[in-house]
Amino acid sequence: MSRIIADLSVSLDGFVTRPGPDNALGTGGEALHTRAFSDDPEDRQFLREGSARSGAVVLGRRLFDVVDGPNGRDDKTGYGACEVGKPALVVVTSSPPKSVRLSGLDWTFVTTGLPGAVAAARERAEAASTSGGKDLDVVLMGGGALIRSALDAGVVGTLTLHVAPVVLGTGMPLFTGAVPRTLVQRSVIATSTVTHVTYDVL
């Protein structure tokens, strides 16, 4: 069965976005994602391996609107940034869009909430695992509220945080008001741009 992995960047003071209308990250929030375009070989390897094992990705509607918007992703900055992958993409939304700009990607829109989206993503990841002959994961990409909800609901088995060496001071916190969870640290990889920390969620 495919693992459910929550994967996101976070500031040293625990924020996943900053306020502001500029993009999904807010004004100055792009500092959280320097590692995605880093030349550091360990960052590149971490991103490449994560993209390669992603069978399906779950994201919220706000993030979809940014990704599929006119200034959103393209062939050079797709899923996995420079390590562009094309897993199935499952969007949690109450209102599916009338059209999709990135029509070459495999989109599924789920209106029954997060559990339905995770179930749909798991089905897609397991089908891709069978056809590809290797185990592939379901990755919860965000936003922060979606991942916090998934952690609170107990559906996340692995949490990977990319802790950026930046203090944002304000924004959307990942864990405020969260249901208590025990984490077991599995690995820590420090690079020139970020510290990648992976936990098992109990």
Side-chain angles (χ1 to χ4, degrees), residues 49-60:
E49 290 175 353
S51 297
R53 70 172 182 266
S54 298
V57 175
V58 179
L59 60 155

Side-chain angles (χ1 to χ4, degrees), residues 158-194:
T158 301
L159 172 64
T160 296
L161 298 178
H162 312 282
V163 184
V166 59
V167 175
L168 294 183
T170 187
M172 175 183 282
L174 178 57
F175 293 118
T176 295
V179 172
R181 293 280 172 203
T182 299
L183 307 178
V184 176
Q185 186 170 287
R186 185 198 298 169
S187 68
V188 179
I189 300 172
T191 73
S192 60
T193 64
V194 72

